[in-house]
Amino acid sequence: MNEPILITSRDNPLLKRLRLLSQDSMAYRKQGQVWLEGDHLCRAMLARGQRPTTAVFTERGWSDAADAMRVACEHRVLVSESLMAGVSGLESPAGMGFLWDLPTRPAPDPAASTVVLDRLQDAGNVGSILRSAAAMGFGQVLALKGTAGLWSPKVLRAGMGAHFALRLVEGLTLDDLRPLAVPMLVTSSHRGEFLHRSELPWPCAWVMGHEGQGVRPELEAMASRSVRITQPGGEESLNVAAAAAICLHASAAARALPL
Amino acid sequence: MNEPILITSRDNPLLKRLRLLSQDSMAYRKQGQVWLEGDHLCRAMLARGQRPTTAVFTERGWSDAADAMRVACEHRVLVSESLMAGVSGLESPAGMGFLWDLPTRPAPDPAASTVVLDRLQDAGNVGSILRSAAAMGFGQVLALKGTAGLWSPKVLRAGMGAHFALRLVEGLTLDDLRPLAVPMLVTSSHRGEFLHRSELPWPCAWVMGHEGQGVRPELEAMASRSVRITQPGGEESLNVAAAAAICLHASAAARALPL
């Protein structure tokens, strides 16, 4: 394998590209590439058999890196700490990162255990839901148009590697959901049976809605069941990522109980 | 009641104070006051019988406001949209807000259903947990030193009014928790019985730990039980606010089931 190449100019085309990807949350869609910062995300990607196109290290990052990270790809680059800071979206820039070609967008799997996101706005919420979905054994997340970009830097960060454990499809319309062959469940604050008394089907598709407006009525109408989360404190609603965690865990627990 | 007073200078002492409170997440501790932006938070505060010291409106905010908001206190102020924007921490500044004197810090209630926060860093996580705690009927949240400020603007925003439904005590040490008379439960990723197979006591105290390091060992040793959340997907951990939602809901569901 060749020696890593030293880059010293902030005008280098690679660094320009990384800057764009770290600063513009939607740039990944045009570029077809994602900039993965830090050991944790890069490791999660390698663990799923993926390979970066370029690996970027600071000197310290290079000396701290595990061998698997150093030899992850042929094209390896060394930059100064300040150049790394310039392409970082983190408060404390990482010592390494991977540039990765996004695979071709997969088609939704009609039979998979699924989470549907209906126009969720907050990147932290979306990332947290991806993380819960992966942890609870769901296979795919389908994001309707208007949802925060699944591969945007903030969602990637909040997802903590969950992206690589899931089939992710975004930019979908309601019609794209019609082929789903698994029962669709929506949460409601005021209708349906209580989650903790429900027998939950598996696989299923949980639908999570916009932070303010919830699930749009046309989508609610497509669902086979409405389920509500008990809220004895009488507050008006839970954060959507908290509600998702509760629902996805209930599905995982229902699967586990018969064992 | 007097007419609202028009303020036109950004150097007005009230506006300086609001600017400080909106920009410095810890300023509320020195000032003993909180700046509540927007109809939702202000309403949540009034609904709990609290009263602001000053109510601030833009012209549009004034004409949109419900009567209860307009007459919430004697000292009412009108400002331009741009002055309001200058004291706002929101992307879209609200048309109204309340300045509120924080009540004297309460003592922990040893018998209350409780959530303990051990050095949680992320304001969004803390706010989400407060919201889940209120929704699930918990009575108090006890934050150990090193946790994000409970009354900081970001936590207030993420809490969506839950602050006013809870007894909140912060800046605590481990010794302050020793008088707790309710069983303390910690979550672990690898030890203890599974949550969904557990019989949960009520009231209880759930302990949630630092995003990276989890609950510190000394505190874990004080707990009467370790409980783990099933994660069939095999991901390494859930977001702490997601884990909290799952645990607090399990407690609420366990209380509700016998009915």
Side-chain angles (χ1 to χ4, degrees):
Chain A
M1 209 174 246
N2 299 321
E3 284 297 298
I5 299 161
L6 184 66
I7 293 183
T8 57
S9 162
R10 70 186 299 281
D11 296 327
N12 174 283
L14 171 68
L15 295 190
K16 278 187 174 168
R17 166 161 294 209
L18 298 184
R19 210 173 297 128
L20 178 69
L21 290 171
S22 77
Q23 288 168 2
D24 175 350
S25 62
M26 286 301 123
Y28 75 86
R29 290 195 182 157
K30 273 188 218 134
Q31 305 289 327
Q33 292 187 312
V34 168
W35 168 223
L36 302 169
E37 287 188 72
D39 185 73
H40 185 87
L41 273 184
C42 293
R43 234 173 240 282
M45 180 260 252
L46 291 181
R48 299 288 169 166
Q50 300 289 330
R51 288 281 164 265
T53 60
T54 306
V56 183
F57 299 87
T58 62
E59 274 196 48
R60 182 182 302 185
W62 177 260
S63 60
D64 289 352
D67 282 345
M69 311 302 272
R70 293 193 198 177
V71 301
C73 68
E74 190 65 34
H75 189 226
R76 299 169 303 169
V77 163
L78 283 178
V79 297
S80 67
E81 308 252 333
S82 76
L83 282 182
M84 188 64 118
V87 300
S88 174
L90 306 176
E91 276 183 42
S92 317
M96 55 108 17
F98 287 163
L99 181 64
W100 179 58
D101 286 344
L102 264 180
T104 316
R105 194 185 95 149
D109 175 351
S113 51
T114 300
V115 180
V116 175
L117 304 180
D118 183 19
R119 299 162 302 137
L120 266 73
Q121 300 299 296
D122 183 81
N125 284 339
V126 173
S128 174
I129 294 176
L130 263 53
R131 211 171 151 188
S132 295
M136 296 305 158
F138 283 72
Q140 76 180 346
V141 174
L142 305 179
L144 293 164
K145 264 180 201 152
T147 300
L150 298 187
W151 293 97
S152 65
K154 280 188 188 168
V155 174
L156 265 169
R157 225 169 297 146
M160 293 282 282
H163 287 71
F164 300 102
L166 295 163
R167 175 189 288 255
L168 298 177
V169 197
E170 58 182 347
L172 297 174
T173 64
L174 287 191
D175 280 341
D176 294 321
L177 299 181
R178 297 196 196 278
L180 274 186
V182 297
M184 212 184 265
L185 311 176
V186 296
T187 53
S188 164
S189 53
H190 56 286
R191 286 198 290 115
E193 58 188 331
F194 283 107
L195 178 71
H196 62 277
R197 298 177 193 272
S198 301
E199 287 196 24
L200 295 171
W202 184 267
C204 70
W206 279 105
V207 185
M208 299 292 149
H210 182 279
E211 285 84 354
Q213 298 156 30
V215 175
R216 76 187 87 171
E218 309 92 286
L219 181 49
E220 217 174 338
M222 286 167 66
S224 48
R225 273 162 75 185
S226 260
V227 174
R228 74 171 102 178
I229 296 172
T230 184
Q231 294 191 37
E235 292 311 302
E236 65 184 38
S237 74
L238 291 162
N239 164 276
V240 64
I246 291 167
C247 293
L248 305 185
H249 173 261
S251 284
R255 279 176 83 195
L257 270 181
L259 297 179
Chain B
M1 210 173 243
N2 299 320
E3 284 296 299
I5 299 161
L6 185 67
I7 293 182
T8 56
S9 162
R10 70 187 297 281
D11 297 326
N12 174 283
L14 171 67
L15 296 190
K16 279 187 175 169
R17 167 162 294 210
L18 298 183
R19 210 172 297 130
L20 178 68
L21 290 171
S22 75
Q23 289 169 0
D24 175 351
S25 62
M26 286 300 124
Y28 75 87
R29 290 195 181 158
K30 275 189 216 135
Q31 305 289 327
Q33 292 187 312
V34 168
W35 168 223
L36 302 168
E37 287 188 72
D39 185 73
H40 185 88
L41 272 185
C42 292
R43 233 173 240 281
M45 181 259 252
L46 291 181
R48 299 288 168 165
Q50 299 290 330
R51 288 282 164 265
T53 61
T54 305
V56 183
F57 299 87
T58 62
E59 274 196 47
R60 183 181 302 184
W62 177 258
S63 60
D64 288 352
D67 282 345
M69 311 302 272
R70 293 193 196 177
V71 302
C73 69
E74 190 66 35
H75 189 226
R76 299 169 303 169
V77 162
L78 282 178
V79 298
S80 67
E81 309 251 336
S82 76
L83 284 183
M84 188 65 117
V87 299
S88 174
L90 307 176
E91 275 183 43
S92 318
M96 55 109 18
F98 287 163
L99 181 64
W100 179 59
D101 286 345
L102 265 180
T104 316
R105 193 185 96 150
D109 176 351
S113 51
T114 299
V115 180
V116 175
L117 305 179
D118 182 19
R119 299 162 301 137
L120 266 74
Q121 301 298 297
D122 183 82
N125 284 340
V126 173
S128 174
I129 294 175
L130 264 52
R131 211 171 151 189
S132 295
M136 295 305 158
F138 283 72
Q140 75 180 346
V141 173
L142 306 179
L144 292 164
K145 263 179 203 152
T147 299
L150 299 187
W151 294 98
S152 65
K154 281 189 188 166
V155 175
L156 265 169
R157 225 169 297 145
M160 292 282 282
H163 286 72
F164 300 101
L166 295 162
R167 176 189 289 253
L168 298 178
V169 197
E170 58 182 347
L172 297 174
T173 64
L174 287 191
D175 280 340
D176 294 321
L177 299 181
R178 297 196 195 278
L180 275 185
V182 297
M184 213 183 265
L185 311 176
V186 296
T187 51
S188 166
S189 54
H190 55 286
R191 288 199 289 114
E193 56 188 333
F194 282 107
L195 177 72
H196 62 277
R197 297 178 193 269
S198 302
E199 286 197 25
L200 296 171
W202 185 267
C204 69
W206 279 105
V207 184
M208 298 292 149
H210 183 279
E211 284 85 354
Q213 298 156 28
V215 174
R216 76 186 87 171
E218 309 92 286
L219 181 50
E220 215 173 339
M222 288 167 65
S224 48
R225 272 162 74 186
S226 260
V227 174
R228 72 171 103 176
I229 297 172
T230 184
Q231 294 190 37
E235 293 310 301
E236 66 183 38
S237 75
L238 291 161
N239 165 277
V240 64
I246 291 167
C247 294
L248 305 185
H249 173 260
S251 284
R255 277 177 84 196
L257 272 181
L259 296 181

